Amino acid sequence: MSAQKKMTGETLVQMGIISQDQLDAALSEQSRTREKLGRILVQRGILTEQQLIEALEFLMGIPHIKMSNVEIDSELLKMVPINLIRMHRVLPVSRRKNTMTLAMSDPQNQKAIDDIQMATGLNIIPVLAGENDLDVAIRQNLAFQMDPNIEKILGELHTEQKILPKKEAAPIKVVDDAPMIRMVNSMLVQAIQGRASDIHIEPQERETRVRFRIDGELYQVLTIPQQNHAALVSRIKIMGGMDIAEKRLPQDGRFRFEVDMREVDFRLSTLPTTYGEKVVMRILDQSYALTRIEQLGLSSRNKEYLLHLARRPYGMILLTGPTGSGKTTTLYSVLNEVNSMDKNIITLEDPVEYTLAGINQVQTNPRAGLTFASGLRSCLRQDPDVIMVGEIRDRETAELAVQASLTGHLVFSTLHTNSAAGSLARLNDMGIEDFLIGSSLAGVIGQRLIRRLCTNCRESYTLDEETAHRLGMPEQAGQQYYRATGCNMCRNMGYQGRMGIHEVLMISNTVRQYINRGEHNERVIEQAASQEGFISIKEDGIAKARQGLTTLEEVMKAVLLGG
């Protein structure tokens, strides 16, 4: 441990921001993970990022800057190579003569300062920026800026195409087509560093459109001449171990790609369309897999409930929500919470999206006979303490999960229902008797993902009676809410990033009595649970809209989407 890091921790204790016990626990984790002390304290929820920034400002004597208040000059941005901005997590904010002011989350990173100084030929003055604040600013300013490498490669491809005789079809180059290989690599790097979750490659009549999904929304980032589409798809197929000759049937593949000294997994899917094969690549970045429960955006009460469920010795805990609602992230967060040397944890997944250290993960393979049901039966012979089943799809899997939870195992799984309370009727429809549901089920978490408001340009307003009635919340008329407007920081979208809204149904003795009596009506169950602190997804979303974290429109869209 360096003297600087120790002094930072001691300063936080002296300032009364953290206790000595909290510092000792964070230092113990730091010795294992080699993570920055400040990041550990923020991840643990011991202090906010703003408190950390204020402490570092006091300690280093370097002023801090709030990135949402800064409008980045596009010409200034072009002076610093994109790879250096992303590698060192820095952003130029201003220039005066021969001096550039550089926002950094770690102003003591001398290598970053030297690299930027050499690339620009300017003197560098560092200013302190919050890590999350800086990440958002980098993502917003660079996510849709085309990499100059891709522009150059597209020019090469266009030139190659031009020199062919008019009646001669362009040959499909695969392995030897260096420009195509470089273009695919650049595209992957750009998507990863822009924090995209998916890449869509879509053939049109005259061109191929490339779109990235960022924060749940699709944005077009590139167009490629249609005549290069086949070569592009063939290159991606080779990377994913797929059959390049088969173009009439859908295919699935997977590959691993290294960027910024880490490996990122890609899951591929092709689909024949009118103008060629459409490709979707799901990006599975391991660096985002280890999300802590504290980072899920749960309200304080819901976080308390979830932690209580995660620390149970046995019982069944279910997650509900539509595809893309963050169920996998929540499951992995809970598994990380319970993961320890004295527990045998086994997961059954389809597919395994992220690898978790210390956890035994099994990929199902229905063609080979390894289904959730057969895999769960085998897992029970492996002396497990905790089992995670990717999804309960049929009666056999449901029965095995219930029996496992009743025989001393902690079982996590997902179920497709529109609400947490709706899981009771779903299990009953699968043939699970009411008394078994009441005995085995410990809790159900329902969730959705919604967009987070840009704090730089959000605008407050008073909810009128007509709108309040239309949204089914007349009691909220006259209350202050916020709407999206749009600014340079959020690319005029009004939103930056996403957040979760949740409901946690605890199976208390009262709720269990209703279940044992065969009561499956969602409204009745929710009313009973609300007497003990249950908050619905809609209520959780409205509360977050009141705080200015999101808009009522986002909340209602998510609630209606879920049914």
Side-chain angles (χ1 to χ4, degrees):
M1 178 180 64
S2 70
Q4 182 64 52
K5 287 179 180 175
K6 182 177 180 182
M7 198 190 323
T8 302
E10 290 175 351
T11 301
L12 293 173
V13 173
Q14 291 167 6
M15 295 172 71
I17 296 175
I18 65 174
S19 67
Q20 187 63 48
D21 288 344
Q22 289 172 325
L23 174 60
D24 292 342
L27 289 173
S28 176
E29 180 173 337
Q30 185 189 44
S31 66
R32 297 193 309 271
T33 64
R34 305 296 180 186
E35 192 69 82
K36 290 180 181 178
L37 180 62
R39 185 178 297 174
I40 292 171
L41 292 170
V42 172
Q43 287 176 343
R44 283 173 164 256
I46 295 172
L47 78 169
T48 65
E49 188 172 67
Q50 184 59 35
Q51 289 174 315
L52 175 64
I53 290 172
E54 290 172 358
L56 291 174
E57 182 181 31
F58 170 77
L59 181 68
M60 299 177 183
I62 297 176
H64 81 269
I65 186 171
K66 188 168 179 59
M67 297 306 299
S68 58
N69 294 334
V70 178
E71 185 173 335
I72 306 297
D73 186 338
S74 59
E75 293 304 314
L76 182 64
L77 202 59
K78 292 176 182 177
M79 295 183 65
V80 183
I82 292 175
N83 64 315
L84 291 183
I85 290 176
R86 286 171 167 156
M87 180 170 65
H88 294 307
R89 296 169 85 176
V90 299
L91 206 59
V93 293
S94 65
R95 176 188 176 183
R96 187 174 183 182
K97 296 182 179 179
N98 294 325
T99 301
M100 175 184 285
T101 301
L102 192 69
M104 310 176 68
S105 61
D106 181 10
Q108 293 184 324
N109 185 345
Q110 192 58 47
K111 185 179 188 312
I113 293 173
D114 291 343
D115 285 351
I116 304 298
Q117 190 165 317
M118 183 173 294
T120 62
L122 301 173
N123 297 320
I124 302 300
I125 297 179
V127 292
L128 184 63
E131 196 167 287
N132 292 334
D133 198 18
L134 189 55
D135 281 347
V136 169
I138 291 173
R139 187 164 72 250
Q140 294 300 326
N141 280 282
L142 299 187
F144 315 123
Q145 181 173 321
M146 188 183 294
D147 190 329
N149 290 332
I150 295 183
E151 288 184 319
K152 180 181 177 182
I153 296 165
L154 279 172
E156 293 178 27
L157 291 172
H158 187 63
T159 301
E160 285 183 3
Q161 198 67 36
K162 270 188 172 180
I163 63 175
L164 291 167
K166 287 184 178 180
K167 294 183 180 179
E168 185 178 344
I172 296 176
K173 300 180 182 179
V174 180
V175 179
D176 296 327
D177 192 350
M180 184 59 71
I181 293 173
R182 286 189 285 118
M183 189 180 72
V184 171
N185 290 348
S186 294
M187 184 192 305
L188 300 182
V189 170
Q190 188 175 358
I192 294 167
Q193 295 179 336
R195 295 189 67 179
S197 61
D198 303 85
I199 302 173
H200 289 241
I201 299 172
E202 303 164 318
Q204 310 291 307
E205 183 177 5
R206 299 181 183 278
E207 61 189 16
T208 290
R209 178 175 65 178
V210 179
R211 296 192 290 174
F212 292 171
R213 187 177 294 279
I214 300 173
D215 294 333
E217 301 290 319
L218 281 170
Y219 300 95
Q220 182 166 319
V221 295
L222 186 64
T223 57
I224 297 169
Q226 223 285 335
Q227 58 263 35
N228 297 119
H229 178 78
L232 172 64
V233 173
S234 293
R235 172 59 192 161
I236 293 170
K237 280 184 170 183
I238 285 178
M239 296 175 74
M242 301 155 77
D243 184 356
I244 64 172
E246 180 56 75
K247 301 178 181 180
R248 299 167 299 174
L249 297 173
Q251 294 187 62
D252 295 317
R254 190 166 186 155
F255 67 87
R256 185 166 288 181
F257 186 77
E258 185 174 323
V259 62
D260 295 339
M261 303 299 291
R262 72 180 191 275
E263 291 186 332
V264 177
D265 287 321
F266 283 78
R267 205 167 68 220
L268 311 180
S269 172
T270 65
L271 183 70
T273 69
T274 305
Y275 296 111
E277 292 177 279
K278 171 179 165 61
V279 180
V280 174
M281 294 186 271
R282 167 63 57 88
I283 303 172
L284 304 171
D285 193 339
Q286 189 72 22
S287 62
Y288 302 133
L290 303 180
T291 304
R292 294 176 177 271
I293 285 179
E294 290 82 0
Q295 297 172 286
L296 294 176
L298 292 151
S299 66
S300 57
R301 183 184 290 273
N302 282 341
K303 182 175 73 173
E304 181 183 333
Y305 284 161
L306 184 54
L307 287 170
H308 175 75
L309 290 172
R311 291 164 183 163
R312 285 178 56 95
Y314 59 88
M316 184 165 66
I317 300 164
L318 298 177
L319 273 82
T320 69
T323 301
S325 61
K327 297 191 297 296
T328 300
T329 299
T330 301
L331 274 175
Y332 283 165
S333 301
V334 175
L335 289 178
N336 282 322
E337 180 69 27
V338 302
N339 190 12
S340 62
M341 286 295 292
D342 62 342
K343 284 189 174 65
N344 176 22
I345 303 175
I346 303 177
T347 73
L348 287 165
E349 304 176 61
D350 180 25
V352 174
E353 293 196 3
Y354 300 104
T355 55
L356 303 175
I359 293 177
N360 307 286
Q361 296 174 265
V362 179
Q363 168 89 47
T364 60
N365 187 348
R367 290 182 180 178
L370 181 55
T371 62
F372 281 124
S374 63
L376 181 51
R377 189 176 287 105
S378 297
C379 286
L380 291 171
R381 295 194 288 268
Q382 290 285 315
D383 186 31
D385 296 293
V386 180
I387 302 171
M388 190 270 273
V389 182
E391 184 183 344
I392 293 178
R393 297 175 178 172
D394 51 49
R395 176 173 182 169
E396 185 180 8
T397 307
E399 288 176 342
L400 288 167
V402 167
Q403 289 303 319
S405 67
L406 291 173
T407 52
H409 305 92
L410 186 60
V411 179
F412 295 98
S413 190
T414 67
L415 201 62
H416 279 291
T417 60
N418 292 330
S419 67
S423 61
L424 307 177
R426 180 76 181 107
L427 287 172
N428 188 258
D429 290 342
M430 287 183 173
I432 307 301
E433 296 184 66
D434 292 320
F435 78 93
L436 289 176
I437 297 173
S439 301
S440 62
L441 197 59
V444 187
I445 301 99
Q447 67 180 70
R448 305 282 189 275
L449 283 180
I450 58 176
R451 289 184 292 173
R452 185 186 292 270
L453 262 176
C454 173
T455 56
N456 188 54
C457 64
R458 66 185 180 186
E459 181 180 272
S460 64
Y461 69 97
T462 300
L463 185 65
D464 61 84
E465 287 190 20
E466 182 183 346
T467 305
H469 277 277
R470 180 167 51 82
L471 295 176
M473 41 189 281
E475 72 286 352
Q476 292 294 318
Q479 298 293 331
Q480 178 176 284
Y481 285 92
Y482 295 81
R483 61 168 63 95
T485 56
C487 64
N488 290 329
M489 281 299 297
C490 60
R491 294 278 171 177
N492 292 316
M493 295 299 296
Y495 298 92
Q496 289 189 47
R498 289 196 291 177
M499 62 185 297
I501 53 176
H502 311 83
E503 61 185 17
V504 182
L505 176 64
M506 303 292 287
I507 308 301
S508 63
N509 289 332
T510 302
V511 173
R512 188 171 290 109
Q513 288 174 8
Y514 278 94
I515 297 172
N516 291 340
R517 292 203 301 264
E519 179 61 73
H520 301 140
N521 185 287
E522 294 180 30
R523 188 176 296 277
V524 172
I525 295 295
E526 288 177 354
Q527 286 178 346
S530 65
Q531 302 300 315
E532 300 173 329
F534 171 80
I535 298 172
S536 70
I537 280 183
K538 182 177 179 179
E539 292 170 327
D540 186 49
I542 291 172
K544 287 172 178 173
R546 284 282 307 277
Q547 297 169 37
L549 300 175
T550 188
T551 61
L552 283 174
E553 289 77 13
E554 278 292 298
V555 174
M556 296 306 166
K557 183 172 67 175
V559 172
L560 292 173
L561 180 65

